[in-house]
Amino acid sequence: MPGRARRDGGGPGGSGDNRDRRDRRDGGRGGAAQDKTPYIERLVTINRVAKVVKGGRRFSFTALMIVGDGDGLVGVGYGKAKEVPAAIAKGVEEAKKNFFRVPRIGGTIVHRVQGEAAAGVVMLRPASPGTGVIAGGPVRAVLECAGIHDVLSKSLGSDNAINIVHATVAALKQLQRPEEVAARRGLPLEDVAPPQMLRARAAAAASARS
């Protein structure tokens, strides 16, 4: 029947046209399908910013993004645009430009550290395997993208997500490998690193080889 054919998407205004419009909005990718990327991307927060001009108010959006490979590489980016998808894309690109390497032993950090950024203060402590990421949302996003799976954290300052993220990044950038400390002090590695750290490194290296 002609009416039924139109309901099935064969005529104008039917579901077929709706699918075509959705495909055009998705850039021809078909809705759920998205570009594959080797990196882990986490959206921390989105803020709407209003600028008052002569004709009224102009709105734009800012997005705080965390990008990492899950294996010690992580970066933070802040994007601003008139639309949310564009702000997210800008944040991802900026995060990729700010990549840095995080020293790890297995799935945890090498030593206790505390980072500060503006009013944000974040403390990170190593944890034994199986502990998990004991952290809030913004800190968890940074640590998971960096490939840290066992850590204890505590936020000691502002609860603003942007300050917490930057404080976490400041803490991770302070981490130093035991070899670097031993070389700087002119001492053997055994005199710098505690025995449990050396055992953990040996166990992580053995599991990686197997």
mmCIF file with all atom_site columns, all heavy atoms in Angstrom, residues 136-165:
data_model
loop_
_atom_site.group_PDB
_atom_site.id
_atom_site.type_symbol
_atom_site.label_atom_id
_atom_site.label_alt_id
_atom_site.label_comp_id
_atom_site.label_asym_id
_atom_site.label_entity_id
_atom_site.label_seq_id
_atom_site.pdbx_PDB_ins_code
_atom_site.Cartn_x
_atom_site.Cartn_y
_atom_site.Cartn_z
_atom_site.occupancy
_atom_site.B_iso_or_equiv
_atom_site.pdbx_formal_charge
_atom_site.auth_seq_id
_atom_site.auth_comp_id
_atom_site.auth_asym_id
_atom_site.auth_atom_id
_atom_site.pdbx_PDB_model_num
ATOM 1   N N   . GLY A 1 136 ? 39.174 10.363 43.348 1.00 0.00 ? 136 GLY A N   1
ATOM 2   C CA  . GLY A 1 136 ? 37.953 10.962 42.837 1.00 0.00 ? 136 GLY A CA  1
ATOM 3   C C   . GLY A 1 136 ? 37.940 11.017 41.323 1.00 0.00 ? 136 GLY A C   1
ATOM 4   O O   . GLY A 1 136 ? 38.897 10.592 40.652 1.00 0.00 ? 136 GLY A O   1
ATOM 5   N N   . GLY A 1 137 ? 36.881 11.568 40.768 1.00 0.00 ? 137 GLY A N   1
ATOM 6   C CA  . GLY A 1 137 ? 36.690 11.565 39.329 1.00 0.00 ? 137 GLY A CA  1
ATOM 7   C C   . GLY A 1 137 ? 37.796 12.228 38.531 1.00 0.00 ? 137 GLY A C   1
ATOM 8   O O   . GLY A 1 137 ? 38.387 11.589 37.636 1.00 0.00 ? 137 GLY A O   1
ATOM 9   N N   . PRO A 1 138 ? 38.146 13.492 38.791 1.00 0.00 ? 138 PRO A N   1
ATOM 10  C CA  . PRO A 1 138 ? 39.202 14.143 38.001 1.00 0.00 ? 138 PRO A CA  1
ATOM 11  C C   . PRO A 1 138 ? 40.559 13.458 38.142 1.00 0.00 ? 138 PRO A C   1
ATOM 12  O O   . PRO A 1 138 ? 41.265 13.255 37.146 1.00 0.00 ? 138 PRO A O   1
ATOM 13  C CB  . PRO A 1 138 ? 39.226 15.570 38.555 1.00 0.00 ? 138 PRO A CB  1
ATOM 14  C CG  . PRO A 1 138 ? 37.874 15.773 39.152 1.00 0.00 ? 138 PRO A CG  1
ATOM 15  C CD  . PRO A 1 138 ? 37.477 14.438 39.704 1.00 0.00 ? 138 PRO A CD  1
ATOM 16  N N   . VAL A 1 139 ? 40.943 13.080 39.369 1.00 0.00 ? 139 VAL A N   1
ATOM 17  C CA  . VAL A 1 139 ? 42.229 12.405 39.575 1.00 0.00 ? 139 VAL A CA  1
ATOM 18  C C   . VAL A 1 139 ? 42.219 11.034 38.918 1.00 0.00 ? 139 VAL A C   1
ATOM 19  O O   . VAL A 1 139 ? 43.202 10.616 38.294 1.00 0.00 ? 139 VAL A O   1
ATOM 20  C CB  . VAL A 1 139 ? 42.535 12.293 41.081 1.00 0.00 ? 139 VAL A CB  1
ATOM 21  C CG1 . VAL A 1 139 ? 43.864 11.583 41.305 1.00 0.00 ? 139 VAL A CG1 1
ATOM 22  C CG2 . VAL A 1 139 ? 42.553 13.667 41.727 1.00 0.00 ? 139 VAL A CG2 1
ATOM 23  N N   . ARG A 1 140 ? 41.116 10.331 39.035 1.00 0.00 ? 140 ARG A N   1
ATOM 24  C CA  . ARG A 1 140 ? 41.003 8.992  38.436 1.00 0.00 ? 140 ARG A CA  1
ATOM 25  C C   . ARG A 1 140 ? 41.180 9.056  36.921 1.00 0.00 ? 140 ARG A C   1
ATOM 26  O O   . ARG A 1 140 ? 41.832 8.194  36.319 1.00 0.00 ? 140 ARG A O   1
ATOM 27  C CB  . ARG A 1 140 ? 39.642 8.383  38.788 1.00 0.00 ? 140 ARG A CB  1
ATOM 28  C CG  . ARG A 1 140 ? 39.387 7.025  38.146 1.00 0.00 ? 140 ARG A CG  1
ATOM 29  C CD  . ARG A 1 140 ? 37.983 6.557  38.484 1.00 0.00 ? 140 ARG A CD  1
ATOM 30  N NE  . ARG A 1 140 ? 37.863 6.316  39.909 1.00 0.00 ? 140 ARG A NE  1
ATOM 31  C CZ  . ARG A 1 140 ? 38.142 5.157  40.492 1.00 0.00 ? 140 ARG A CZ  1
ATOM 32  N NH1 . ARG A 1 140 ? 38.555 4.129  39.754 1.00 0.00 ? 140 ARG A NH1 1
ATOM 33  N NH2 . ARG A 1 140 ? 38.006 5.011  41.787 1.00 0.00 ? 140 ARG A NH2 1
ATOM 34  N N   . ALA A 1 141 ? 40.600 10.069 36.286 1.00 0.00 ? 141 ALA A N   1
ATOM 35  C CA  . ALA A 1 141 ? 40.718 10.182 34.838 1.00 0.00 ? 141 ALA A CA  1
ATOM 36  C C   . ALA A 1 141 ? 42.170 10.323 34.409 1.00 0.00 ? 141 ALA A C   1
ATOM 37  O O   . ALA A 1 141 ? 42.620 9.673  33.452 1.00 0.00 ? 141 ALA A O   1
ATOM 38  C CB  . ALA A 1 141 ? 39.892 11.373 34.344 1.00 0.00 ? 141 ALA A CB  1
ATOM 39  N N   . VAL A 1 142 ? 42.937 11.139 35.114 1.00 0.00 ? 142 VAL A N   1
ATOM 40  C CA  . VAL A 1 142 ? 44.346 11.333 34.767 1.00 0.00 ? 142 VAL A CA  1
ATOM 41  C C   . VAL A 1 142 ? 45.141 10.049 34.994 1.00 0.00 ? 142 VAL A C   1
ATOM 42  O O   . VAL A 1 142 ? 45.931 9.629  34.142 1.00 0.00 ? 142 VAL A O   1
ATOM 43  C CB  . VAL A 1 142 ? 44.947 12.494 35.585 1.00 0.00 ? 142 VAL A CB  1
ATOM 44  C CG1 . VAL A 1 142 ? 46.425 12.669 35.259 1.00 0.00 ? 142 VAL A CG1 1
ATOM 45  C CG2 . VAL A 1 142 ? 44.190 13.791 35.309 1.00 0.00 ? 142 VAL A CG2 1
ATOM 46  N N   . LEU A 1 143 ? 44.922 9.394  36.131 1.00 0.00 ? 143 LEU A N   1
ATOM 47  C CA  . LEU A 1 143 ? 45.708 8.209  36.475 1.00 0.00 ? 143 LEU A CA  1
ATOM 48  C C   . LEU A 1 143 ? 45.397 7.042  35.550 1.00 0.00 ? 143 LEU A C   1
ATOM 49  O O   . LEU A 1 143 ? 46.299 6.306  35.141 1.00 0.00 ? 143 LEU A O   1
ATOM 50  C CB  . LEU A 1 143 ? 45.441 7.820  37.933 1.00 0.00 ? 143 LEU A CB  1
ATOM 51  C CG  . LEU A 1 143 ? 45.852 8.859  38.984 1.00 0.00 ? 143 LEU A CG  1
ATOM 52  C CD1 . LEU A 1 143 ? 45.475 8.386  40.377 1.00 0.00 ? 143 LEU A CD1 1
ATOM 53  C CD2 . LEU A 1 143 ? 47.345 9.146  38.908 1.00 0.00 ? 143 LEU A CD2 1
ATOM 54  N N   . GLU A 1 144 ? 44.126 6.845  35.213 1.00 0.00 ? 144 GLU A N   1
ATOM 55  C CA  . GLU A 1 144 ? 43.773 5.739  34.326 1.00 0.00 ? 144 GLU A CA  1
ATOM 56  C C   . GLU A 1 144 ? 44.319 5.955  32.926 1.00 0.00 ? 144 GLU A C   1
ATOM 57  O O   . GLU A 1 144 ? 44.763 5.005  32.275 1.00 0.00 ? 144 GLU A O   1
ATOM 58  C CB  . GLU A 1 144 ? 42.257 5.561  34.303 1.00 0.00 ? 144 GLU A CB  1
ATOM 59  C CG  . GLU A 1 144 ? 41.683 4.997  35.596 1.00 0.00 ? 144 GLU A CG  1
ATOM 60  C CD  . GLU A 1 144 ? 40.181 4.797  35.518 1.00 0.00 ? 144 GLU A CD  1
ATOM 61  O OE1 . GLU A 1 144 ? 39.569 5.320  34.562 1.00 0.00 ? 144 GLU A OE1 1
ATOM 62  O OE2 . GLU A 1 144 ? 39.622 4.135  36.416 1.00 0.00 ? 144 GLU A OE2 1
ATOM 63  N N   . CYS A 1 145 ? 44.280 7.195  32.426 1.00 0.00 ? 145 CYS A N   1
ATOM 64  C CA  . CYS A 1 145 ? 44.852 7.459  31.111 1.00 0.00 ? 145 CYS A CA  1
ATOM 65  C C   . CYS A 1 145 ? 46.364 7.268  31.113 1.00 0.00 ? 145 CYS A C   1
ATOM 66  O O   . CYS A 1 145 ? 46.953 6.940  30.077 1.00 0.00 ? 145 CYS A O   1
ATOM 67  C CB  . CYS A 1 145 ? 44.502 8.875  30.662 1.00 0.00 ? 145 CYS A CB  1
ATOM 68  S SG  . CYS A 1 145 ? 42.760 9.120  30.231 1.00 0.00 ? 145 CYS A SG  1
ATOM 69  N N   . ALA A 1 146 ? 47.004 7.478  32.272 1.00 0.00 ? 146 ALA A N   1
ATOM 70  C CA  . ALA A 1 146 ? 48.453 7.279  32.372 1.00 0.00 ? 146 ALA A CA  1
ATOM 71  C C   . ALA A 1 146 ? 48.834 5.816  32.578 1.00 0.00 ? 146 ALA A C   1
ATOM 72  O O   . ALA A 1 146 ? 50.024 5.501  32.600 1.00 0.00 ? 146 ALA A O   1
ATOM 73  C CB  . ALA A 1 146 ? 49.016 8.125  33.512 1.00 0.00 ? 146 ALA A CB  1
ATOM 74  N N   . GLY A 1 147 ? 47.864 4.926  32.763 1.00 0.00 ? 147 GLY A N   1
ATOM 75  C CA  . GLY A 1 147 ? 48.173 3.518  32.957 1.00 0.00 ? 147 GLY A CA  1
ATOM 76  C C   . GLY A 1 147 ? 48.511 3.149  34.378 1.00 0.00 ? 147 GLY A C   1
ATOM 77  O O   . GLY A 1 147 ? 49.178 2.134  34.620 1.00 0.00 ? 147 GLY A O   1
ATOM 78  N N   . ILE A 1 148 ? 48.074 3.944  35.353 1.00 0.00 ? 148 ILE A N   1
ATOM 79  C CA  . ILE A 1 148 ? 48.305 3.653  36.773 1.00 0.00 ? 148 ILE A CA  1
ATOM 80  C C   . ILE A 1 148 ? 47.057 2.970  37.319 1.00 0.00 ? 148 ILE A C   1
ATOM 81  O O   . ILE A 1 148 ? 45.968 3.549  37.293 1.00 0.00 ? 148 ILE A O   1
ATOM 82  C CB  . ILE A 1 148 ? 48.611 4.944  37.557 1.00 0.00 ? 148 ILE A CB  1
ATOM 83  C CG1 . ILE A 1 148 ? 49.884 5.588  37.005 1.00 0.00 ? 148 ILE A CG1 1
ATOM 84  C CG2 . ILE A 1 148 ? 48.761 4.650  39.035 1.00 0.00 ? 148 ILE A CG2 1
ATOM 85  C CD1 . ILE A 1 148 ? 50.189 6.937  37.608 1.00 0.00 ? 148 ILE A CD1 1
ATOM 86  N N   . HIS A 1 149 ? 47.208 1.745  37.815 1.00 0.00 ? 149 HIS A N   1
ATOM 87  C CA  . HIS A 1 149 ? 46.066 0.940  38.234 1.00 0.00 ? 149 HIS A CA  1
ATOM 88  C C   . HIS A 1 149 ? 45.980 0.749  39.743 1.00 0.00 ? 149 HIS A C   1
ATOM 89  O O   . HIS A 1 149 ? 44.932 0.315  40.242 1.00 0.00 ? 149 HIS A O   1
ATOM 90  C CB  . HIS A 1 149 ? 46.127 -0.436 37.557 1.00 0.00 ? 149 HIS A CB  1
ATOM 91  C CG  . HIS A 1 149 ? 46.265 -0.358 36.068 1.00 0.00 ? 149 HIS A CG  1
ATOM 92  N ND1 . HIS A 1 149 ? 45.298 0.183  35.243 1.00 0.00 ? 149 HIS A ND1 1
ATOM 93  C CD2 . HIS A 1 149 ? 47.281 -0.733 35.253 1.00 0.00 ? 149 HIS A CD2 1
ATOM 94  C CE1 . HIS A 1 149 ? 45.697 0.121  33.984 1.00 0.00 ? 149 HIS A CE1 1
ATOM 95  N NE2 . HIS A 1 149 ? 46.902 -0.428 33.964 1.00 0.00 ? 149 HIS A NE2 1
ATOM 96  N N   . ASP A 1 150 ? 47.044 1.036  40.469 1.00 0.00 ? 150 ASP A N   1
ATOM 97  C CA  . ASP A 1 150 ? 47.051 0.863  41.930 1.00 0.00 ? 150 ASP A CA  1
ATOM 98  C C   . ASP A 1 150 ? 47.685 2.102  42.555 1.00 0.00 ? 150 ASP A C   1
ATOM 99  O O   . ASP A 1 150 ? 48.898 2.309  42.440 1.00 0.00 ? 150 ASP A O   1
ATOM 100 C CB  . ASP A 1 150 ? 47.835 -0.397 42.335 1.00 0.00 ? 150 ASP A CB  1
ATOM 101 C CG  . ASP A 1 150 ? 47.274 -1.650 41.685 1.00 0.00 ? 150 ASP A CG  1
ATOM 102 O OD1 . ASP A 1 150 ? 46.114 -1.981 41.963 1.00 0.00 ? 150 ASP A OD1 1
ATOM 103 O OD2 . ASP A 1 150 ? 48.010 -2.274 40.898 1.00 0.00 ? 150 ASP A OD2 1
ATOM 104 N N   . VAL A 1 151 ? 46.887 2.908  43.224 1.00 0.00 ? 151 VAL A N   1
ATOM 105 C CA  . VAL A 1 151 ? 47.398 4.139  43.814 1.00 0.00 ? 151 VAL A CA  1
ATOM 106 C C   . VAL A 1 151 ? 46.415 4.646  44.858 1.00 0.00 ? 151 VAL A C   1
ATOM 107 O O   . VAL A 1 151 ? 45.213 4.387  44.779 1.00 0.00 ? 151 VAL A O   1
ATOM 108 C CB  . VAL A 1 151 ? 47.636 5.213  42.717 1.00 0.00 ? 151 VAL A CB  1
ATOM 109 C CG1 . VAL A 1 151 ? 46.313 5.699  42.154 1.00 0.00 ? 151 VAL A CG1 1
ATOM 110 C CG2 . VAL A 1 151 ? 48.459 6.369  43.245 1.00 0.00 ? 151 VAL A CG2 1
ATOM 111 N N   . LEU A 1 152 ? 46.944 5.337  45.843 1.00 0.00 ? 152 LEU A N   1
ATOM 112 C CA  . LEU A 1 152 ? 46.128 6.006  46.857 1.00 0.00 ? 152 LEU A CA  1
ATOM 113 C C   . LEU A 1 152 ? 46.276 7.510  46.659 1.00 0.00 ? 152 LEU A C   1
ATOM 114 O O   . LEU A 1 152 ? 47.387 8.010  46.457 1.00 0.00 ? 152 LEU A O   1
ATOM 115 C CB  . LEU A 1 152 ? 46.588 5.621  48.272 1.00 0.00 ? 152 LEU A CB  1
ATOM 116 C CG  . LEU A 1 152 ? 46.586 4.131  48.599 1.00 0.00 ? 152 LEU A CG  1
ATOM 117 C CD1 . LEU A 1 152 ? 47.210 3.908  49.969 1.00 0.00 ? 152 LEU A CD1 1
ATOM 118 C CD2 . LEU A 1 152 ? 45.182 3.560  48.559 1.00 0.00 ? 152 LEU A CD2 1
ATOM 119 N N   . SER A 1 153 ? 45.165 8.237  46.720 1.00 0.00 ? 153 SER A N   1
ATOM 120 C CA  . SER A 1 153 ? 45.216 9.679  46.492 1.00 0.00 ? 153 SER A CA  1
ATOM 121 C C   . SER A 1 153 ? 44.338 10.396 47.502 1.00 0.00 ? 153 SER A C   1
ATOM 122 O O   . SER A 1 153 ? 43.406 9.810  48.072 1.00 0.00 ? 153 SER A O   1
ATOM 123 C CB  . SER A 1 153 ? 44.778 10.023 45.072 1.00 0.00 ? 153 SER A CB  1
ATOM 124 O OG  . SER A 1 153 ? 43.384 9.863  44.934 1.00 0.00 ? 153 SER A OG  1
ATOM 125 N N   . LYS A 1 154 ? 44.644 11.675 47.685 1.00 0.00 ? 154 LYS A N   1
ATOM 126 C CA  . LYS A 1 154 ? 43.865 12.510 48.582 1.00 0.00 ? 154 LYS A CA  1
ATOM 127 C C   . LYS A 1 154 ? 43.915 13.940 48.071 1.00 0.00 ? 154 LYS A C   1
ATOM 128 O O   . LYS A 1 154 ? 45.002 14.476 47.808 1.00 0.00 ? 154 LYS A O   1
ATOM 129 C CB  . LYS A 1 154 ? 44.435 12.440 50.013 1.00 0.00 ? 154 LYS A CB  1
ATOM 130 C CG  . LYS A 1 154 ? 43.690 13.296 51.021 1.00 0.00 ? 154 LYS A CG  1
ATOM 131 C CD  . LYS A 1 154 ? 42.294 12.785 51.292 1.00 0.00 ? 154 LYS A CD  1
ATOM 132 C CE  . LYS A 1 154 ? 41.599 13.569 52.377 1.00 0.00 ? 154 LYS A CE  1
ATOM 133 N NZ  . LYS A 1 154 ? 40.213 13.095 52.615 1.00 0.00 ? 154 LYS A NZ  1
ATOM 134 N N   . SER A 1 155 ? 42.739 14.565 47.932 1.00 0.00 ? 155 SER A N   1
ATOM 135 C CA  . SER A 1 155 ? 42.665 15.968 47.551 1.00 0.00 ? 155 SER A CA  1
ATOM 136 C C   . SER A 1 155 ? 42.656 16.814 48.815 1.00 0.00 ? 155 SER A C   1
ATOM 137 O O   . SER A 1 155 ? 41.774 16.674 49.668 1.00 0.00 ? 155 SER A O   1
ATOM 138 C CB  . SER A 1 155 ? 41.410 16.238 46.711 1.00 0.00 ? 155 SER A CB  1
ATOM 139 O OG  . SER A 1 155 ? 41.308 17.608 46.394 1.00 0.00 ? 155 SER A OG  1
ATOM 140 N N   . LEU A 1 156 ? 43.641 17.711 48.938 1.00 0.00 ? 156 LEU A N   1
ATOM 141 C CA  . LEU A 1 156 ? 43.818 18.488 50.157 1.00 0.00 ? 156 LEU A CA  1
ATOM 142 C C   . LEU A 1 156 ? 43.460 19.961 49.988 1.00 0.00 ? 156 LEU A C   1
ATOM 143 O O   . LEU A 1 156 ? 43.592 20.730 50.938 1.00 0.00 ? 156 LEU A O   1
ATOM 144 C CB  . LEU A 1 156 ? 45.272 18.395 50.631 1.00 0.00 ? 156 LEU A CB  1
ATOM 145 C CG  . LEU A 1 156 ? 45.810 16.974 50.839 1.00 0.00 ? 156 LEU A CG  1
ATOM 146 C CD1 . LEU A 1 156 ? 47.287 17.009 51.157 1.00 0.00 ? 156 LEU A CD1 1
ATOM 147 C CD2 . LEU A 1 156 ? 45.034 16.263 51.939 1.00 0.00 ? 156 LEU A CD2 1
ATOM 148 N N   . GLY A 1 157 ? 43.025 20.348 48.798 1.00 0.00 ? 157 GLY A N   1
ATOM 149 C CA  . GLY A 1 157 ? 42.748 21.761 48.553 1.00 0.00 ? 157 GLY A CA  1
ATOM 150 C C   . GLY A 1 157 ? 41.390 21.965 47.926 1.00 0.00 ? 157 GLY A C   1
ATOM 151 O O   . GLY A 1 157 ? 40.377 21.407 48.370 1.00 0.00 ? 157 GLY A O   1
ATOM 152 N N   . SER A 1 158 ? 41.353 22.770 46.874 1.00 0.00 ? 158 SER A N   1
ATOM 153 C CA  . SER A 1 158 ? 40.111 23.130 46.199 1.00 0.00 ? 158 SER A CA  1
ATOM 154 C C   . SER A 1 158 ? 39.446 21.909 45.590 1.00 0.00 ? 158 SER A C   1
ATOM 155 O O   . SER A 1 158 ? 40.101 20.928 45.219 1.00 0.00 ? 158 SER A O   1
ATOM 156 C CB  . SER A 1 158 ? 40.405 24.159 45.104 1.00 0.00 ? 158 SER A CB  1
ATOM 157 O OG  . SER A 1 158 ? 39.271 24.347 44.280 1.00 0.00 ? 158 SER A OG  1
ATOM 158 N N   . ASP A 1 159 ? 38.103 21.957 45.493 1.00 0.00 ? 159 ASP A N   1
ATOM 159 C CA  . ASP A 1 159 ? 37.363 20.883 44.849 1.00 0.00 ? 159 ASP A CA  1
ATOM 160 C C   . ASP A 1 159 ? 37.027 21.218 43.401 1.00 0.00 ? 159 ASP A C   1
ATOM 161 O O   . ASP A 1 159 ? 36.223 20.519 42.778 1.00 0.00 ? 159 ASP A O   1
ATOM 162 C CB  . ASP A 1 159 ? 36.080 20.575 45.627 1.00 0.00 ? 159 ASP A CB  1
ATOM 163 C CG  . ASP A 1 159 ? 35.172 21.786 45.730 1.00 0.00 ? 159 ASP A CG  1
ATOM 164 O OD1 . ASP A 1 159 ? 35.581 22.881 45.309 1.00 0.00 ? 159 ASP A OD1 1
ATOM 165 O OD2 . ASP A 1 159 ? 34.037 21.638 46.248 1.00 0.00 ? 159 ASP A OD2 1
ATOM 166 N N   . ASN A 1 160 ? 37.634 22.281 42.846 1.00 0.00 ? 160 ASN A N   1
ATOM 167 C CA  . ASN A 1 160 ? 37.440 22.623 41.446 1.00 0.00 ? 160 ASN A CA  1
ATOM 168 C C   . ASN A 1 160 ? 38.133 21.586 40.562 1.00 0.00 ? 160 ASN A C   1
ATOM 169 O O   . ASN A 1 160 ? 39.316 21.284 40.761 1.00 0.00 ? 160 ASN A O   1
ATOM 170 C CB  . ASN A 1 160 ? 38.002 24.030 41.185 1.00 0.00 ? 160 ASN A CB  1
ATOM 171 C CG  . ASN A 1 160 ? 37.806 24.470 39.747 1.00 0.00 ? 160 ASN A CG  1
ATOM 172 O OD1 . ASN A 1 160 ? 38.626 24.151 38.891 1.00 0.00 ? 160 ASN A OD1 1
ATOM 173 N ND2 . ASN A 1 160 ? 36.736 25.190 39.488 1.00 0.00 ? 160 ASN A ND2 1
ATOM 174 N N   . ALA A 1 161 ? 37.405 21.052 39.590 1.00 0.00 ? 161 ALA A N   1
ATOM 175 C CA  . ALA A 1 161 ? 37.941 19.961 38.772 1.00 0.00 ? 161 ALA A CA  1
ATOM 176 C C   . ALA A 1 161 ? 39.181 20.384 37.999 1.00 0.00 ? 161 ALA A C   1
ATOM 177 O O   . ALA A 1 161 ? 40.138 19.603 37.851 1.00 0.00 ? 161 ALA A O   1
ATOM 178 C CB  . ALA A 1 161 ? 36.863 19.453 37.815 1.00 0.00 ? 161 ALA A CB  1
ATOM 179 N N   . ILE A 1 162 ? 39.205 21.613 37.504 1.00 0.00 ? 162 ILE A N   1
ATOM 180 C CA  . ILE A 1 162 ? 40.355 22.070 36.722 1.00 0.00 ? 162 ILE A CA  1
ATOM 181 C C   . ILE A 1 162 ? 41.593 22.156 37.606 1.00 0.00 ? 162 ILE A C   1
ATOM 182 O O   . ILE A 1 162 ? 42.686 21.701 37.222 1.00 0.00 ? 162 ILE A O   1
ATOM 183 C CB  . ILE A 1 162 ? 40.040 23.429 36.074 1.00 0.00 ? 162 ILE A CB  1
ATOM 184 C CG1 . ILE A 1 162 ? 38.850 23.293 35.121 1.00 0.00 ? 162 ILE A CG1 1
ATOM 185 C CG2 . ILE A 1 162 ? 41.255 23.971 35.329 1.00 0.00 ? 162 ILE A CG2 1
ATOM 186 C CD1 . ILE A 1 162 ? 38.385 24.607 34.532 1.00 0.00 ? 162 ILE A CD1 1
ATOM 187 N N   . ASN A 1 163 ? 41.454 22.714 38.810 1.00 0.00 ? 163 ASN A N   1
ATOM 188 C CA  . ASN A 1 163 ? 42.600 22.808 39.711 1.00 0.00 ? 163 ASN A CA  1
ATOM 189 C C   . ASN A 1 163 ? 43.086 21.431 40.142 1.00 0.00 ? 163 ASN A C   1
ATOM 190 O O   . ASN A 1 163 ? 44.296 21.192 40.265 1.00 0.00 ? 163 ASN A O   1
ATOM 191 C CB  . ASN A 1 163 ? 42.223 23.634 40.946 1.00 0.00 ? 163 ASN A CB  1
ATOM 192 C CG  . ASN A 1 163 ? 42.026 25.102 40.631 1.00 0.00 ? 163 ASN A CG  1
ATOM 193 O OD1 . ASN A 1 163 ? 42.522 25.595 39.624 1.00 0.00 ? 163 ASN A OD1 1
ATOM 194 N ND2 . ASN A 1 163 ? 41.282 25.783 41.473 1.00 0.00 ? 163 ASN A ND2 1
ATOM 195 N N   . ILE A 1 164 ? 42.148 20.501 40.378 1.00 0.00 ? 164 ILE A N   1
ATOM 196 C CA  . ILE A 1 164 ? 42.532 19.152 40.799 1.00 0.00 ? 164 ILE A CA  1
ATOM 197 C C   . ILE A 1 164 ? 43.308 18.444 39.692 1.00 0.00 ? 164 ILE A C   1
ATOM 198 O O   . ILE A 1 164 ? 44.325 17.780 39.941 1.00 0.00 ? 164 ILE A O   1
ATOM 199 C CB  . ILE A 1 164 ? 41.282 18.350 41.196 1.00 0.00 ? 164 ILE A CB  1
ATOM 200 C CG1 . ILE A 1 164 ? 40.675 18.931 42.481 1.00 0.00 ? 164 ILE A CG1 1
ATOM 201 C CG2 . ILE A 1 164 ? 41.617 16.884 41.394 1.00 0.00 ? 164 ILE A CG2 1
ATOM 202 C CD1 . ILE A 1 164 ? 39.389 18.261 42.896 1.00 0.00 ? 164 ILE A CD1 1
ATOM 203 N N   . VAL A 1 165 ? 42.850 18.578 38.454 1.00 0.00 ? 165 VAL A N   1
ATOM 204 C CA  . VAL A 1 165 ? 43.541 17.932 37.336 1.00 0.00 ? 165 VAL A CA  1
ATOM 205 C C   . VAL A 1 165 ? 44.951 18.483 37.183 1.00 0.00 ? 165 VAL A C   1
ATOM 206 O O   . VAL A 1 165 ? 45.925 17.731 37.033 1.00 0.00 ? 165 VAL A O   1
ATOM 207 C CB  . VAL A 1 165 ? 42.734 18.110 36.041 1.00 0.00 ? 165 VAL A CB  1
ATOM 208 C CG1 . VAL A 1 165 ? 43.579 17.730 34.828 1.00 0.00 ? 165 VAL A CG1 1
ATOM 209 C CG2 . VAL A 1 165 ? 41.480 17.257 36.080 1.00 0.00 ? 165 VAL A CG2 1
#
